[in-house]
Amino acid sequence: MDGDPAVEPELDTFSLILPLPYRVAVILVLGVWAWAVNLHYLAILKIDVAGLIRYSNRTTAAGSTHHFRTYRLAALVSIPLIISLLLFWSVTHGQASLVLSWEILPQSYLILLALLFILPLQRLSKAGRYRFLTILKRVSIGGIAEAQDGKFGDILLADVLTSYAKVLGDLFVAECMLFSRKYSSTAKPDRGCGGAYLVPIIIGIPSLIRLRQCLIEFFRVRRNMKQPGGSISTGWGGQHLANALKYSSAFPVIILSALQRGYDPNKIGMSEAGLFRLWLFFVFLNSFYSFYWDVAKDWDLTMFSSTRERNNPEHPWGLRRHTHFHTKGMYYGAIVVDLMLRCTWSLKLSPHLDHFNDLEGGIFIMEFLEVIRRWMWIFFRVETEWVRVNRGPASDDVLLVDYAIDNNKLDSD
């Protein structure tokens, strides 16, 4: 990951077609479609996602499934977006002056999107949206439920927020520019709107949320050990601290990115090249630590385990005994894709592509790819959780304390 870079000084062609508020809307709506596909494919694999996140397993009177209702919600939020975009293109004709004047169209859609999630409309998956907002409210301050109350759902949503960190930063920029007298929200994004460090702070909030959740889990484990009859099988909580360290490794990247964007040698006391090398060290550390955690801890694969475990004849090389996806190639492919998308920052090292992240279109593609990476990650993270619940957790799993679960109770929730 890296911070949002400075962008070209003029309103570029990409921004004439898809201004910042629309880009935010597109990626938010993409997330709804992605979750629907997650639910659908995992249901085909007979993985009970609703049970894992402690959401009602009952279908509606018409027998519609969770993924069907999510598809319906995705379609309902997409239709007005498409209409708004077509109307915007028809009235602006790609002319900069008209693009700046018609900011009301994308902003109106963002308001509509918020209302569609908030208003208690029965036909729009009311129960699902209420559950989403309830979890969002809890995790927004770094809270996390107990295992029996839907802790796994809290973790999933909080991790999704880390992938949407830059999108949330762009949402703030769009609204800040809307209320600024100097700008139109469809103008060239001013990522210094509200102050040089406000956007980086917003980008860092999702990682701060997960950091706090990890610390809460650590203290829960410690408290459980001190209680009479407390289990020692859960360990001392060290993996929760290791997970917290992973999220905290994002902060130097965000801070150094902000310093590079507003570089002033008189204030920083370091050369621009030195600042870049320091950023490179921390972004490398964050990316590969996160990649290791994805593979070894979130997906319970043995690629980074001991040679004996990795070469265990009971499972394909580097994977695990119990899997639900149809071919081992899906796991190997996911590992490769995850690594590649964790390292998109490496484009800055190329003499031909180093300015890609400086373009508005490049920023949008990077945000889009991160959401796609998280969408892929969810398939394997939920499958791993299902294996843990039904087959038992890995011996060193970070969530050991949660798996004394009665499967019959999962079905009845």
Side-chain angles (χ1 to χ4, degrees):
M1 61 176 295
D2 62 1
D4 292 310
V7 294
E8 61 275 17
E10 301 297 333
L11 193 61
D12 60 302
T13 303
F14 183 77
S15 296
L16 292 175
I17 298 172
L18 203 63
L20 185 63
Y22 275 132
R23 282 175 250 162
V24 172
V26 167
I27 295 183
L28 290 175
V29 171
L30 171 67
V32 184
W33 282 106
W35 178 237
V37 175
N38 286 138
L39 292 174
H40 192 177
Y41 187 69
L42 290 167
I44 292 173
L45 296 180
K46 308 298 182 185
I47 293 177
D48 180 15
V49 180
L52 290 175
I53 64 175
R54 300 295 185 170
Y55 181 66
S56 172
N57 249 344
R58 295 185 294 274
T59 59
T60 63
S64 61
T65 58
H66 295 296
H67 61 264
F68 174 81
R69 295 198 293 276
T70 309
Y71 278 131
R72 184 172 60 189
L73 176 62
L76 287 171
V77 298
S78 298
I79 291 171
L81 174 59
I82 294 171
I83 293 173
S84 180
L85 273 170
L86 292 175
L87 181 58
F88 181 81
W89 292 334
S90 68
V91 298
T92 61
H93 305 291
Q95 298 179 24
S97 59
L98 293 175
V99 168
L100 297 177
S101 300
W102 282 93
E103 65 177 341
I104 188 173
L105 287 177
Q107 290 292 345
S108 296
Y109 176 76
L110 289 176
I111 293 172
L112 176 63
L113 183 62
L115 290 175
L116 288 174
F117 274 90
I118 295 172
L119 293 179
L121 302 175
Q122 189 64 42
R123 289 183 176 273
L124 292 180
S125 304
K126 177 182 176 181
R129 288 182 294 114
Y130 176 78
R131 177 64 183 274
F132 168 76
L133 293 173
T134 300
I135 296 176
L136 182 61
K137 180 180 178 181
R138 180 166 57 240
V139 304
S140 64
I141 57 173
I144 185 170
E146 295 286 353
Q148 67 273 15
D149 298 322
K151 169 187 167 183
F152 183 57
D154 289 14
I155 292 174
L156 281 183
L157 180 56
D159 274 325
V160 167
L161 289 178
T162 63
S163 292
Y164 269 86
K166 291 186 180 180
V167 180
L168 295 175
D170 279 352
L171 177 60
F172 169 80
V173 169
E175 300 312 306
C176 178
M177 292 175 67
L178 174 66
F179 291 103
S180 172
R181 295 180 179 180
K182 298 190 297 180
Y183 307 106
S184 164
S185 62
T186 50
K188 169 190 168 293
D190 175 18
R191 291 184 169 81
C193 189
Y197 299 106
L198 189 52
V199 171
I201 288 172
I202 292 171
I203 292 174
I205 286 174
S207 295
L208 186 62
I209 287 172
R210 283 297 286 127
L211 171 62
R212 185 171 187 268
Q213 288 181 331
C214 292
L215 294 177
I216 289 173
E217 283 297 282
F218 169 74
F219 288 113
R220 282 179 181 174
V221 171
R222 303 297 295 176
R223 187 166 58 248
N224 180 65
M225 291 179 60
K226 293 178 180 179
Q227 291 177 351
S231 173
I232 61 172
S233 63
T234 59
W236 62 276
Q239 289 209 64
H240 293 297
L241 291 182
N243 202 15
L245 181 62
K246 181 192 74 173
Y247 291 105
S248 65
S249 69
F251 301 135
V253 180
I254 296 170
I255 294 169
L256 291 169
S257 296
L259 292 175
Q260 287 183 89
R261 192 167 54 248
Y263 177 72
D264 183 347
N266 296 321
K267 294 182 179 179
I268 297 176
M270 180 183 294
S271 69
E272 194 168 7
L275 192 62
F276 176 77
R277 286 193 290 268
L278 189 60
W279 169 85
L280 190 62
F281 168 78
F282 280 107
V283 77
F284 182 91
L285 176 65
N286 173 259
S287 296
F288 283 92
Y289 193 175
S290 299
F291 169 68
Y292 162 78
W293 202 273
D294 288 341
V295 174
K297 303 301 179 182
D298 289 339
W299 298 346
D300 282 355
L301 303 182
T302 59
M303 182 166 288
F304 298 114
S305 301
S306 64
T307 302
R308 179 179 179 182
E309 180 63 21
R310 187 168 54 247
N311 296 320
N312 191 327
E314 294 184 354
H315 58 70
W317 182 88
L319 303 187
R320 46 177 150 81
R321 287 184 59 192
H322 304 293
T323 58
H324 287 268
F325 294 108
H326 300 302
T327 65
K328 62 182 181 181
M330 295 180 70
Y331 294 88
Y332 295 133
I335 292 170
V336 172
V337 171
D338 190 69
L339 176 61
M340 292 174 61
L341 296 184
R342 283 285 188 188
C343 296
T344 53
W345 52 266
S346 62
L347 291 176
K348 286 191 172 185
L349 304 181
S350 168
H352 303 292
L353 299 173
D354 58 331
H355 291 296
F356 182 77
N357 285 348
D358 297 340
L359 304 172
E360 286 300 321
I363 294 172
F364 176 75
I365 290 173
M366 291 298 102
E367 292 175 349
F368 178 87
L369 289 176
E370 173 56 22
V371 171
I372 294 299
R373 188 198 67 79
R374 182 62 65 182
W375 169 72
M376 179 196 71
W377 176 90
I378 286 174
F379 283 114
F380 294 92
R381 180 65 184 88
V382 173
E383 182 241 16
T384 302
E385 191 78 3
W386 185 249
V387 171
R388 291 170 180 175
V389 168
N390 290 280
R391 301 286 187 174
S395 59
D396 62 346
D397 183 59
V398 70
L399 299 177
L400 265 170
V401 71
D402 299 337
Y403 294 107
I405 296 178
D406 182 350
N407 289 337
N408 292 327
K409 186 176 187 302
L410 275 174
D411 294 333
S412 65
D413 279 352

